[in-house]
Structures are given as C-alpha cells and as structure tokens.
Amino acid sequence: MDPKTERVNVLIAGAGPVGLVSALILLRNGLSVRIITKETEPRTGYRGPGIQPRTLELYKFLGVLDEIWQGSGSHQTIHQYTSPDNGEPPVITWDNSKENVEETVEKPYLNSRCIGQVDHEAILRSYLWRDYEYEVEFGTELISYEQQSEFVDVTFTTSANSSTKVIHKTKFNWLIGADGAHSVVRKQLGCSFLGDSIKQGAGMLLADINLLNGWGDDHVKAWGSISQKFLFIRPYQSAVSAQHSTPSQPKNDTRVQVMIAGKDVQGIIEKLNLAPENRDTNEERDALVDMIHEMSGRKDLIFGDLIGMGVWRPNIRMVDKFGEGRAWIAGDAAHVHSPTGGQGLNSGVQDAFNLCWKLSLVHKGLNGSISKTLMESYTEERTRVVKAMLNITTKLLRQTFGTNRDEANLAQTAVNATSTSSATSNATDKAEPGGVSFIRGFELRMFGINYRGSSIVLDEVEPPAEVLDPYKVSPDAPVRGGDRAPEAVELKILHGSSSRTTTTLFEIFDTTKHTALVFARSPLAVPELSRTLAKYPHGTMRVVVVYPQGSSDSIAISGRKTDFEGDVLEVLDTKDYAYGSYLRGVDFERAIESDGIEQPGAVIIIVRPDGHIGAIVKNGEGVDRYRQRVFL
C-alpha cells in the first residue's frame, strides 16, 4: 500500500523492538502500518540484551526466532576482580553455564539469549523488508494527534535537510505509542505516570566502545564493588562475532559495552565532562579510557573509537491505563524501571503481542459490539503483570545497588534460596557487602506470567482456578485459563493440509488466529463442535483435534463433512506430551461424559494469538461462551 495515496491503518511511533514487533504482528494480520522515529538513523549500543525464554517462544510464533537465535548467544561467564586488578585470579566467577537448566518438552527454550539491541532491531527490520518491502521512516517526529470516532488525526514533521523540517498532517485508523519514556502519545492521552526515582546510591554510566585487543566474547570482566566503584566490560555477542569467539578464535566484532557504577555517579559524570554544553567526543573517549585503565589496572587494554555514552538513573514508573479509543501505548511509553533482571524489553514485546491481536480483530470488524471491552482488556491484563514486574525489578535494584541496607546488603544472600544459578569463588571472603550479584530467580524467565481472572478468559474446570500472582504461576501447577500455553512435540499428522508427517504445537500456534485444541477420544465429537466453531468469523480460528496416545491411525475423520470451513488438523499425541501438559489439572474422564448426549464429548482448550490460554471448556456451549466474550 502506498501511504501517500491511501489511509494507513496504524501509525507506530517508535522503532525499537516494541514498535518493530508491533508492526510485524499487524502486518501478519493484514493491516497496513507506518513506523516513524525522530532518530535520523538506527540506534547504536548493546542495551537491553537479555531475551527471556518466554519472549523466544513468542518470536517462534511470529516467525523470527531463527535469525534472533543465530545472532545471539548464551549468557557469558563473569569474572570479577579486585579494583585495580592485582594480577590474582578472579575474586568471584559467576559461572552462568551452571545457570542453564535442561530444556524440557513443555519449555523448549529454557534459557535466555543475549543480543545487543542494535543487532536485535536490525534483524526485525530485515524481516519487515524481506516479507513486506517496508522500511522504518527515520527523521520523522510525532508532534501531536487528535482522536476522532473513526480515525486519529496526526501531526508530525520530517527533516528535509539538516536545518529544515516539513510539517505533515495525516489520518490513521489507530496510533500505537512505542516512543519511549518521554512518550508524546502517553502525555497527550493524559495517563498518570505513577512512580518515583531513586536518587541516592544508584545509577551508572553506560558506554559502547571498540576494544581492539579483547579476550573473545566467551566471558565478561568486572572490577571492584558497587558499594564503592564498579567497572563492567561485556563483549558484544552478535552475528558478526564468529559465532561465538574465544581467545583462541578471535572475533570480527570489537564492540564492547562498558558500565561504571558507584555511590558517586555524579562525580563520574563530572570527571568525564559529560555536561551537554561541553560534549566533545574525542575528549569523552579519552577520559573514559583513562577511567577504565585506572579502575581495572589493565593499561594493556587498547581501545578504538567511542560508539556512544550516556548516564542511566533509576526511574520506576507505570501508567494507570495503557490507552483508550484509538491511541494505545506499549513498552517504555507505559512502564520504565530498573534493567536488573532483564525484564524491560521483554515486557514491552509482550505488551505488543497482547495489544496487536486485539487491535487487529477490532479493526477488521470481527468482534462486533464489544470492541471497547476487548481493547480495554489490554490495560486490564497488562497492568497486573507490569505492576508485579516492577516490584521484582525494583527489589533487585535495591539489593544490587545497596540502596536499602535494611532490605539487603548483598544480592547473593537475598535471592540465593530461589536461584537456579551458582557462583564459584576463589576467595569469596574478599567479596564486599554491596558487591554485585548476578544470581536471578526462575520467575524472571517469564513462564509464570498469566492472565488468570481476566474478563475475557473463560475457565470451566472445577474447582475454579486460583487467581495467583500474575508473575509466578508454579512451573508444576496444572495449566488453567490465562496461563502460558506449553509446547507438545511428536504429534503425528493424521489429516490436514500439511505435507509433513509430524508437527508440534509451537509450529501450529499463529499470531493471526486462535487455535482450538480439541482433546477427544472419538472423531464423533468433532461434527457437533464444528457447528459452534463455524460461528467464529472466518479466518480467526484453527482447529486441531488431538487424539490420545494409543489411538488407531484410522481414527481421523479424514475429510468427513463438518460445518467448520476453516483448517482442521488431526494429530495423534504419540508420546502423551499434549495430554500430559494440557489436561494435568482436568478430570478428562468426567469432562468427556456425554451427559445424556449420544455423541462422546471433548475438552476444548482455546489458545489465543499471543500464546496464552483463552478458554478451557468441555462442550460446544463453552466454545460459544468464549466467542461471546471475544468476538460477539
């Protein structure tokens, strides 16, 4: 679609991962988009590198995981030394290889990956171009907007040259603000940005620079203590790192991220002469290198060009609503917080998945009169999750920086009891209170995020599901409505459009439609259910009939006429993975009782386009009740 000749459906302000993911989801759903950013070129820097396992799963559904995986690496081991380095072995070695837990069928991506945001964004942009021949519009700044009943009237500027900006006014059906902590979209929505800043004892200098004689990218080096002064140098892991390099296999990529923290962040800023009116890149670079040499004692480290440098201070805030009408926000525009725990970028991506399937349905007119309710469920569902996430990351922040000594002096002590990580130490008694810890709890992998109790989730399993912490559903708990939908593999295809002989649920799940998993012992249950499934708008539902382990290959309906005109896939659960995961908390024998009906029943689990379970029901009436919540 040519944006100059026809109204584009969605304007996305912001070209970070949240904006780019939003664009891909909407395009996959058949909507047209424009992405604008006031930055004149792609951003540089390694910030936000941690991609949590739950986000990896979502990337699988979106179809971008392969390149993200190839361009990323596992967490590096961290070698922490005295400051300055006295030539002795590390004081502590945070061996992140021991954090890795063996992957399971239900959770195939159990460990996080690291990729710098600069490379992360480049991969997402490449999918936009490859699949849609679409490019981000750099140097284009959102100025203001006005909401109307049928559209959003947007004013933005483009840079004609270095000194001239051209003002444009254009109408869009929707506006998504992924425009960061200073979001124009949020400010004009009138959202309260509630929270606080931690002004004492926390904050850090962040820089990206080329290290010409590095040590590969297999580990990070750190010196000192956060309670006094702390230096952290992390080599980039990226697609150009010789996948991945070690000292014996030098890398092509010389980029490193530098973090300097301590109780006197302001003094560091002044020493580096970072006041805006005094910015001189060469002087900044030389001052940074001098500080690194001083703190590390490693004057043998040879640095090249400075890529960028700035100061981060903790600012912990979130909105009271994620939007209204035709304007919505996601990511840092809606919540800002500490990077401790690696939840920020991941939470923003998950905002995008929650928002965009709902917006797509509403835009296409496929959910009728309850469109306002469906859109407002975005705020309802994400607010609880983000609030819990802020509590977790803020606690980690205070523990790590020692800003609340009554709460914790050393992060290792505070979280070791729930950790899956371990540290090996050559001299642990040398570690000072307030030293940094890299131990993190299992919950930060984000598997436990759930929407239990949501107004659009239907769970008819007895007894009713307990509405738990929205971040902490136990990995051993039975699957209930609102929870993450687990993986199941080795599903033998008995009937369907695929030319393959086996498939997995993660290969079936799709960001453009719901998936109805019909757990049945007989194909006779399918025709009855098909009458209800046929009421769903065309193209919004895929049906997968899952027969239990031990069933005959001839059980499939094999083209028997049903009322449902969409794609019906019939599979055999050869290893009981699907039944074992999804029906662990369901009395299957009782659920499929006919209740006087001659045809045998089934348990139907409806998985939403964002990979969460929208409904667990046991008959066609339940399937229709979910339709009325989301589509009617």
Side-chain angles (χ1 to χ4, degrees):
M1 175 182 292
D2 183 350
K4 296 181 176 63
T5 60
E6 189 172 346
R7 182 185 299 174
V8 175
N9 301 144
V10 186
L11 175 67
I12 300 172
V18 177
L20 296 170
V21 167
S22 297
L24 280 168
I25 296 171
L26 294 168
L27 287 164
R28 300 273 197 260
N29 277 276
L31 278 66
S32 57
V33 303
R34 287 180 71 179
I35 312 174
I36 64 172
T37 178
K38 65 180 180 181
E39 294 163 322
T40 56
E41 58 187 16
R43 289 180 292 189
T44 60
Y46 197 70
R47 59 184 176 177
I51 310 299
Q52 299 297 346
R54 179 54 178 160
T55 305
L56 294 174
E57 293 180 347
L58 297 177
Y59 278 176
K60 171 72 173 178
F61 310 154
L62 188 58
V64 302
L65 179 60
D66 287 349
E67 288 205 19
I68 292 291
W69 193 274
Q70 291 168 10
S72 63
S74 58
H75 275 287
Q76 300 131 306
T77 298
I78 300 168
H79 297 179
Q80 188 173 346
Y81 302 87
T82 58
S83 177
D85 191 334
N86 58 11
E88 296 292 324
V91 173
I92 299 176
T93 298
W94 303 99
D95 188 354
N96 287 286
S97 66
K98 296 182 179 179
E99 180 181 344
N100 293 342
V101 180
E102 186 176 352
E103 293 170 348
T104 66
V105 170
E106 292 185 7
K107 300 179 178 69
Y109 314 113
L110 199 55
N111 298 293
S112 56
R113 302 285 291 179
C114 285
I115 180 171
Q117 193 165 328
V118 56
D119 299 321
H120 189 171
E121 292 175 2
I123 290 172
L124 295 174
R125 287 196 304 272
S126 75
Y127 274 97
L128 283 170
W129 177 253
R130 183 184 317 165
D131 295 348
Y132 303 100
E133 295 190 352
Y134 181 81
E135 292 183 301
V136 171
E137 299 175 45
F138 291 99
T140 305
E141 183 176 2
L142 175 67
I143 302 300
S144 64
Y145 64 94
E146 293 183 5
Q147 291 203 57
Q148 308 295 337
S149 60
E150 300 295 328
F151 58 86
V152 184
D153 207 347
V154 178
T155 300
F156 55 90
T157 63
T158 56
S159 300
N161 52 52
S162 59
S163 60
T164 305
K165 290 188 175 182
V166 179
I167 298 176
H168 304 267
K169 285 184 176 291
T170 307
K171 293 178 173 60
F172 299 88
N173 298 111
W174 304 90
L175 171 63
I176 293 178
D179 47 343
H182 302 289
S183 170
V184 172
V185 180
R186 181 193 68 241
K187 291 174 182 177
Q188 289 196 209
L189 273 170
C191 302
S192 298
F193 206 32
L194 307 174
D196 201 0
S197 300
I198 298 177
K199 297 181 173 59
Q200 299 297 324
M204 67 179 73
L205 173 78
L206 295 173
D208 293 88
I209 193 170
N210 288 283
L211 175 60
L212 303 182
N213 62 337
W215 49 84
D217 64 358
D218 66 323
H219 74 277
V220 170
K221 292 188 185 295
W223 293 266
S225 163
I226 278 186
S227 64
Q228 297 300 319
K229 191 179 287 186
F230 182 76
L231 168 65
F232 181 97
I233 300 180
R234 170 165 44 196
Y236 278 32
Q237 289 179 299
S238 71
V240 296
S241 293
Q243 278 313 110
H244 283 282
S245 61
T246 64
S248 62
Q249 182 185 6
K251 62 179 181 173
N252 314 321
D253 194 343
T254 61
R255 298 172 296 173
V256 296
Q257 182 188 47
V258 176
M259 290 183 267
I260 299 176
K263 62 182 181 181
D264 185 18
V265 175
Q266 187 58 40
I268 294 171
I269 297 170
E270 292 172 359
K271 189 170 183 178
L272 292 176
N273 198 27
L274 290 181
E277 63 273 14
N278 298 322
R279 300 305 290 265
D280 183 299
T281 301
N282 291 328
E283 288 184 7
E284 285 181 1
R285 182 256 177 215
D286 293 343
L288 174 66
V289 170
D290 288 344
M291 183 171 288
I292 293 172
H293 285 161
E294 176 188 342
M295 293 179 65
S296 68
R298 292 284 306 272
K299 296 192 182 336
D300 60 310
L301 297 177
I302 301 172
F303 292 92
D305 292 338
L306 178 68
I307 299 168
M309 182 159 53
V311 177
W312 171 82
R313 295 185 186 278
N315 190 22
I316 302 156
R317 300 178 184 277
M318 69 174 291
V319 292
D320 56 339
K321 61 181 178 181
F322 280 60
E324 63 182 8
R326 293 183 171 273
W328 300 85
I329 53 177
D332 287 353
H335 42 83
V336 294
H337 34 84
S338 162
T340 44
Q343 303 295 283
L345 181 151
N346 294 274
S347 295
V349 168
Q350 291 170 39
D351 289 343
F353 271 81
N354 189 294
L355 168 63
C356 289
W357 75 264
K358 298 171 181 177
L359 188 152
S360 297
L361 280 182
V362 172
H363 175 77
K364 291 186 282 190
L366 298 178
N367 90 317
S369 61
I370 64 166
S371 59
K372 186 173 186 292
T373 301
L374 184 61
M375 292 302 296
E376 288 177 349
S377 73
Y378 170 51
T379 291
E380 175 194 358
E381 292 183 341
R382 293 303 296 166
T383 295
R384 292 178 61 249
V385 170
V386 170
K387 189 179 295 185
M389 182 269 292
L390 260 63
N391 289 335
I392 293 169
T393 55
T394 302
K395 183 178 180 181
L396 284 172
L397 171 73
R398 294 187 182 280
Q399 290 168 352
T400 301
F401 284 89
T403 58
N404 186 337
R405 294 297 181 186
D406 294 331
E407 191 172 333
N409 284 328
L410 188 63
Q412 179 180 0
T413 304
V415 299
N416 191 46
T418 59
S419 173
T420 60
S421 178
S422 60
T424 57
S425 172
N426 296 308
T428 53
D429 57 326
K430 295 180 183 179
E432 301 176 44
V436 71
S437 170
F438 299 94
I439 292 174
R440 296 293 183 258
F442 189 85
E443 68 203 39
L444 297 184
R445 302 175 195 224
M446 307 178 88
F447 293 121
I449 290 174
N450 67 90
Y451 303 129
R452 292 189 183 190
S454 165
S455 61
I456 65 168
V457 168
L458 179 62
D459 188 329
E460 298 188 343
V461 177
E462 295 294 340
E466 183 180 359
V467 179
L468 302 172
D469 184 314
Y471 228 81
K472 296 182 181 179
V473 169
S474 167
D476 299 319
V479 172
R480 300 300 298 264
D483 292 357
R484 160 194 170 271
E487 170 68 302
V489 302
E490 296 190 54
L491 303 175
K492 183 177 182 180
I493 298 175
L494 303 178
H495 174 70
S497 58
S498 175
S499 60
R500 298 177 52 187
T501 58
T502 63
T503 189
T504 79
L505 289 184
F506 278 12
E507 290 171 346
I508 292 170
F509 294 157
D510 191 333
T511 57
T512 69
K513 55 175 66 71
H514 284 68
T515 302
L517 302 177
V518 180
F519 292 89
R521 284 196 172 159
S522 166
L524 296 177
V526 179
E528 179 192 357
L529 289 170
S530 74
R531 288 191 285 274
T532 303
L533 290 166
K535 297 179 183 178
Y536 280 73
H538 183 70
T540 61
M541 179 70 74
R542 185 178 192 184
V543 177
V544 180
V545 183
V546 186
Y547 297 113
Q549 182 183 37
S551 300
S552 168
D553 287 6
S554 63
I555 193 173
I557 59 174
S558 300
R560 255 179 244 177
K561 182 172 177 54
T562 67
D563 293 325
F564 182 74
E565 295 181 358
D567 184 14
V568 177
L569 178 67
E570 294 177 86
V571 299
L572 179 62
D573 189 12
T574 62
K575 297 296 179 66
D576 198 39
Y577 291 135
Y579 275 78
S581 295
Y582 282 83
L583 300 186
R584 194 164 58 225
V586 179
D587 185 342
F588 184 61
E589 296 299 330
R590 182 178 178 184
I592 65 172
E593 286 177 356
S594 61
D595 294 329
I597 301 174
E598 291 183 3
Q599 295 168 330
V603 173
I604 306 95
I605 296 180
I606 300 178
V607 180
R608 308 186 329 184
D610 61 359
H612 284 266
I613 294 173
I616 305 179
V617 298
K618 65 177 184 178
N619 53 37
E621 288 79 5
V623 171
D624 200 49
R625 281 189 286 274
Y626 179 72
R627 181 182 67 88
Q628 293 178 53
R629 292 192 178 203
V630 175
F631 291 90
L632 188 61

